[in-house]
PDB file of all heavy atoms in Angstrom:
ATOM      1  N   GLY D  67       9.165   1.358   9.016  1.00  0.00           N
ATOM      2  CA  GLY D  67      10.034   2.287   9.745  1.00  0.00           C
ATOM      3  C   GLY D  67      10.981   1.569  10.686  1.00  0.00           C
ATOM      4  O   GLY D  67      12.170   1.892  10.767  1.00  0.00           O
ATOM      5  N   SER D  68      10.478   0.572  11.376  1.00  0.00           N
ATOM      6  CA  SER D  68      11.338  -0.173  12.300  1.00  0.00           C
ATOM      7  C   SER D  68      12.331  -1.064  11.551  1.00  0.00           C
ATOM      8  O   SER D  68      13.309  -1.537  12.128  1.00  0.00           O
ATOM      9  CB  SER D  68      10.507  -0.998  13.287  1.00  0.00           C
ATOM     10  OG  SER D  68       9.774  -1.984  12.611  1.00  0.00           O
ATOM     11  N   ALA D  69      12.105  -1.258  10.245  1.00  0.00           N
ATOM     12  CA  ALA D  69      13.037  -2.029   9.417  1.00  0.00           C
ATOM     13  C   ALA D  69      14.002  -1.114   8.657  1.00  0.00           C
ATOM     14  O   ALA D  69      14.741  -1.573   7.786  1.00  0.00           O
ATOM     15  CB  ALA D  69      12.260  -2.906   8.443  1.00  0.00           C
ATOM     16  N   GLY D  70      13.966   0.193   8.968  1.00  0.00           N
ATOM     17  CA  GLY D  70      14.925   1.122   8.366  1.00  0.00           C
ATOM     18  C   GLY D  70      14.429   1.897   7.160  1.00  0.00           C
ATOM     19  O   GLY D  70      15.232   2.468   6.425  1.00  0.00           O
ATOM     20  N   TYR D  71      13.116   1.946   6.967  1.00  0.00           N
ATOM     21  CA  TYR D  71      12.544   2.683   5.837  1.00  0.00           C
ATOM     22  C   TYR D  71      11.810   3.925   6.310  1.00  0.00           C
ATOM     23  O   TYR D  71      11.305   3.978   7.429  1.00  0.00           O
ATOM     24  CB  TYR D  71      11.538   1.816   5.072  1.00  0.00           C
ATOM     25  CG  TYR D  71      12.147   0.668   4.313  1.00  0.00           C
ATOM     26  CD1 TYR D  71      12.330  -0.569   4.926  1.00  0.00           C
ATOM     27  CD2 TYR D  71      12.520   0.801   2.984  1.00  0.00           C
ATOM     28  CE1 TYR D  71      12.870  -1.639   4.229  1.00  0.00           C
ATOM     29  CE2 TYR D  71      13.057  -0.264   2.275  1.00  0.00           C
ATOM     30  CZ  TYR D  71      13.240  -1.476   2.910  1.00  0.00           C
ATOM     31  OH  TYR D  71      13.766  -2.535   2.224  1.00  0.00           O
ATOM     32  N   GLN D  72      11.723   4.884   5.431  1.00  0.00           N
ATOM     33  CA  GLN D  72      10.885   6.064   5.621  1.00  0.00           C
ATOM     34  C   GLN D  72      10.020   6.160   4.370  1.00  0.00           C
ATOM     35  O   GLN D  72      10.440   5.718   3.297  1.00  0.00           O
ATOM     36  CB  GLN D  72      11.740   7.315   5.766  1.00  0.00           C
ATOM     37  CG  GLN D  72      10.952   8.575   6.027  1.00  0.00           C
ATOM     38  CD  GLN D  72      11.861   9.796   6.194  1.00  0.00           C
ATOM     39  OE1 GLN D  72      13.086   9.671   6.204  1.00  0.00           O
ATOM     40  NE2 GLN D  72      11.260  10.953   6.309  1.00  0.00           N
ATOM     41  N   GLY D  73       8.822   6.715   4.499  1.00  0.00           N
ATOM     42  CA  GLY D  73       7.959   6.771   3.331  1.00  0.00           C
ATOM     43  C   GLY D  73       7.019   7.945   3.305  1.00  0.00           C
ATOM     44  O   GLY D  73       6.831   8.634   4.305  1.00  0.00           O
ATOM     45  N   VAL D  74       6.453   8.149   2.136  1.00  0.00           N
ATOM     46  CA  VAL D  74       5.422   9.165   1.918  1.00  0.00           C
ATOM     47  C   VAL D  74       4.279   8.520   1.150  1.00  0.00           C
ATOM     48  O   VAL D  74       4.476   7.536   0.440  1.00  0.00           O
ATOM     49  CB  VAL D  74       5.948  10.389   1.138  1.00  0.00           C
ATOM     50  CG1 VAL D  74       6.996  11.138   1.939  1.00  0.00           C
ATOM     51  CG2 VAL D  74       6.487   9.990  -0.220  1.00  0.00           C
ATOM     52  N   MET D  75       3.115   9.096   1.311  1.00  0.00           N
ATOM     53  CA  MET D  75       1.931   8.619   0.594  1.00  0.00           C
ATOM     54  C   MET D  75       1.210   9.817  -0.010  1.00  0.00           C
ATOM     55  O   MET D  75       1.074  10.851   0.633  1.00  0.00           O
ATOM     56  CB  MET D  75       0.989   7.888   1.532  1.00  0.00           C
ATOM     57  CG  MET D  75      -0.286   7.429   0.866  1.00  0.00           C
ATOM     58  SD  MET D  75      -1.434   6.725   2.070  1.00  0.00           S
ATOM     59  CE  MET D  75      -2.887   6.569   1.062  1.00  0.00           C
ATOM     60  N   ASP D  76       0.775   9.657  -1.230  1.00  0.00           N
ATOM     61  CA  ASP D  76      -0.064  10.654  -1.888  1.00  0.00           C
ATOM     62  C   ASP D  76      -1.349   9.975  -2.305  1.00  0.00           C
ATOM     63  O   ASP D  76      -1.323   8.962  -3.013  1.00  0.00           O
ATOM     64  CB  ASP D  76       0.636  11.256  -3.106  1.00  0.00           C
ATOM     65  CG  ASP D  76       1.749  12.203  -2.712  1.00  0.00           C
ATOM     66  OD1 ASP D  76       1.534  13.010  -1.795  1.00  0.00           O
ATOM     67  OD2 ASP D  76       2.843  12.125  -3.309  1.00  0.00           O
ATOM     68  N   GLU D  77      -2.465  10.534  -1.846  1.00  0.00           N
ATOM     69  CA  GLU D  77      -3.765   9.950  -2.160  1.00  0.00           C
ATOM     70  C   GLU D  77      -4.244  10.392  -3.529  1.00  0.00           C
ATOM     71  O   GLU D  77      -3.932  11.488  -3.979  1.00  0.00           O
ATOM     72  CB  GLU D  77      -4.793  10.352  -1.102  1.00  0.00           C
ATOM     73  CG  GLU D  77      -4.509   9.741   0.252  1.00  0.00           C
ATOM     74  CD  GLU D  77      -5.564  10.091   1.282  1.00  0.00           C
ATOM     75  OE1 GLU D  77      -6.679  10.498   0.899  1.00  0.00           O
ATOM     76  OE2 GLU D  77      -5.265   9.949   2.472  1.00  0.00           O
ATOM     77  N   LYS D  78      -5.013   9.517  -4.144  1.00  0.00           N
ATOM     78  CA  LYS D  78      -5.661   9.856  -5.407  1.00  0.00           C
ATOM     79  C   LYS D  78      -6.700  10.937  -5.162  1.00  0.00           C
ATOM     80  O   LYS D  78      -7.235  11.046  -4.066  1.00  0.00           O
ATOM     81  CB  LYS D  78      -6.405   8.644  -5.974  1.00  0.00           C
ATOM     82  CG  LYS D  78      -5.546   7.564  -6.521  1.00  0.00           C
ATOM     83  CD  LYS D  78      -6.468   6.483  -7.073  1.00  0.00           C
ATOM     84  CE  LYS D  78      -5.715   5.287  -7.554  1.00  0.00           C
ATOM     85  NZ  LYS D  78      -6.619   4.232  -8.012  1.00  0.00           N
ATOM     86  N   ALA D  79      -7.005  11.668  -6.203  1.00  0.00           N
ATOM     87  CA  ALA D  79      -8.131  12.592  -6.121  1.00  0.00           C
ATOM     88  C   ALA D  79      -9.395  11.745  -6.223  1.00  0.00           C
ATOM     89  O   ALA D  79      -9.423  10.752  -6.927  1.00  0.00           O
ATOM     90  CB  ALA D  79      -8.071  13.601  -7.258  1.00  0.00           C
ATOM     91  N   GLY D  80     -10.396  12.095  -5.481  1.00  0.00           N
ATOM     92  CA  GLY D  80     -11.646  11.338  -5.547  1.00  0.00           C
ATOM     93  C   GLY D  80     -12.127  10.939  -4.176  1.00  0.00           C
ATOM     94  O   GLY D  80     -11.653  11.448  -3.160  1.00  0.00           O
ATOM     95  N   GLU D  81     -13.045  10.002  -4.154  1.00  0.00           N
ATOM     96  CA  GLU D  81     -13.701   9.635  -2.909  1.00  0.00           C
ATOM     97  C   GLU D  81     -12.991   8.540  -2.127  1.00  0.00           C
ATOM     98  O   GLU D  81     -13.231   8.368  -0.942  1.00  0.00           O
ATOM     99  CB  GLU D  81     -15.133   9.185  -3.219  1.00  0.00           C
ATOM    100  CG  GLU D  81     -15.990  10.300  -3.793  1.00  0.00           C
ATOM    101  CD  GLU D  81     -17.404   9.843  -4.068  1.00  0.00           C
ATOM    102  OE1 GLU D  81     -17.876   8.900  -3.418  1.00  0.00           O
ATOM    103  OE2 GLU D  81     -18.047  10.457  -4.941  1.00  0.00           O
ATOM    104  N   MET D  82     -12.139   7.754  -2.769  1.00  0.00           N
ATOM    105  CA  MET D  82     -11.475   6.646  -2.086  1.00  0.00           C
ATOM    106  C   MET D  82     -10.239   7.155  -1.350  1.00  0.00           C
ATOM    107  O   MET D  82      -9.475   7.935  -1.890  1.00  0.00           O
ATOM    108  CB  MET D  82     -11.076   5.563  -3.083  1.00  0.00           C
ATOM    109  CG  MET D  82     -12.255   4.999  -3.845  1.00  0.00           C
ATOM    110  SD  MET D  82     -13.597   4.431  -2.794  1.00  0.00           S
ATOM    111  CE  MET D  82     -13.076   2.792  -2.454  1.00  0.00           C
ATOM    112  N   ALA D  83     -10.066   6.690  -0.131  1.00  0.00           N
ATOM    113  CA  ALA D  83      -8.910   7.104   0.677  1.00  0.00           C
ATOM    114  C   ALA D  83      -7.757   6.140   0.430  1.00  0.00           C
ATOM    115  O   ALA D  83      -7.362   5.382   1.301  1.00  0.00           O
ATOM    116  CB  ALA D  83      -9.285   7.144   2.150  1.00  0.00           C
ATOM    117  N   GLU D  84      -7.244   6.164  -0.794  1.00  0.00           N
ATOM    118  CA  GLU D  84      -6.098   5.319  -1.141  1.00  0.00           C
ATOM    119  C   GLU D  84      -5.253   6.043  -2.175  1.00  0.00           C
ATOM    120  O   GLU D  84      -5.686   6.990  -2.792  1.00  0.00           O
ATOM    121  CB  GLU D  84      -6.548   3.950  -1.642  1.00  0.00           C
ATOM    122  CG  GLU D  84      -7.402   3.961  -2.874  1.00  0.00           C
ATOM    123  CD  GLU D  84      -6.624   3.772  -4.172  1.00  0.00           C
ATOM    124  OE1 GLU D  84      -5.376   3.739  -4.167  1.00  0.00           O
ATOM    125  OE2 GLU D  84      -7.272   3.693  -5.209  1.00  0.00           O
ATOM    126  N   GLY D  85      -4.043   5.573  -2.330  1.00  0.00           N
ATOM    127  CA  GLY D  85      -3.152   6.199  -3.296  1.00  0.00           C
ATOM    128  C   GLY D  85      -1.857   5.427  -3.423  1.00  0.00           C
ATOM    129  O   GLY D  85      -1.817   4.221  -3.214  1.00  0.00           O
ATOM    130  N   CYS D  86      -0.796   6.141  -3.743  1.00  0.00           N
ATOM    131  CA  CYS D  86       0.519   5.540  -3.940  1.00  0.00           C
ATOM    132  C   CYS D  86       1.437   5.910  -2.788  1.00  0.00           C
ATOM    133  O   CYS D  86       1.363   7.012  -2.254  1.00  0.00           O
ATOM    134  CB  CYS D  86       1.129   6.030  -5.245  1.00  0.00           C
ATOM    135  SG  CYS D  86       0.215   5.482  -6.695  1.00  0.00           S
TER     136      CYS D  86
END
Side-chain angles (χ1 to χ4, degrees):
S68 64
Y71 291 89
Q72 183 179 355
V74 295
M75 177 186 170
D76 287 316
E77 293 183 19
K78 288 182 185 177
E81 296 181 26
M82 301 307 274
E84 61 95 354
C86 294

